[in-house]
């Protein structure tokens, strides 16, 4: 699907399609408390919040604004593909000494 139409969101709503897109957001705790949030699929899309809930709401607003600007400018809307993420444990380099 080509998502470069500047009326993309309005068209989907009119046609009664599901308009939700999903993006991976990384929540990094800060030393002062709260979180800084980034969205790798949307370069420069960053937000923050004093609590996890606030950070989550703020990044949702940031994503919506980011996508709306792309659509208004006629730029392609990035679609993130589903993938699996996992933590991987490795031996600390200190144990090699």
């Amino acid at each position: 699907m080509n998502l470069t139409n500047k009326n993309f969101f309005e068209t989907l709503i009119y046609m009664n399609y599901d308009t939700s897109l999903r993006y991976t957001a990384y929540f990094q705790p800060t030393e002062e408390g709260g979180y800084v949030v980034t969205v790798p699929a949307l370069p420069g899309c960053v937000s923050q919040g004093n609590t996890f809930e606030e950070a989550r709401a703020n990044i949702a607003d940031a994503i919506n604004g980011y996508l709306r600007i792309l659509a208004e400018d006629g730029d392609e809307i990035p679609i993130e593909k589903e993938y699996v993420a996992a933590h991987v444990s490795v031996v600390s380099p200190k144990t090699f000494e």
Side-chain angles (χ1 to χ4, degrees), residues 14-85:
Y14 174 76
M15 297 174 70
N16 201 26
Y17 283 102
D18 179 10
T19 59
S20 64
L21 298 170
R22 295 178 62 157
Y23 293 96
T24 300
Y26 291 104
F27 293 76
Q28 180 179 359
T30 64
E31 289 183 18
E32 307 82 30
Y35 297 87
V36 171
V37 191
T38 58
V39 181
L42 306 174
C45 188
V46 178
S47 191
Q48 60 85 34
N50 293 323
T51 65
F52 182 83
E53 293 78 16
E54 181 182 25
R56 186 174 180 170
N58 290 346
I59 198 63
D61 287 343
I63 291 168
N64 282 324
Y66 190 105
L67 296 179
R68 183 159 300 278
I69 289 169
L70 289 177
E72 288 172 0
D73 290 348
D75 294 331
E76 186 173 340
I77 303 295
I79 303 297
E80 183 176 88
K81 295 190 172 156
E82 298 269 339
Y83 61 90
V84 176

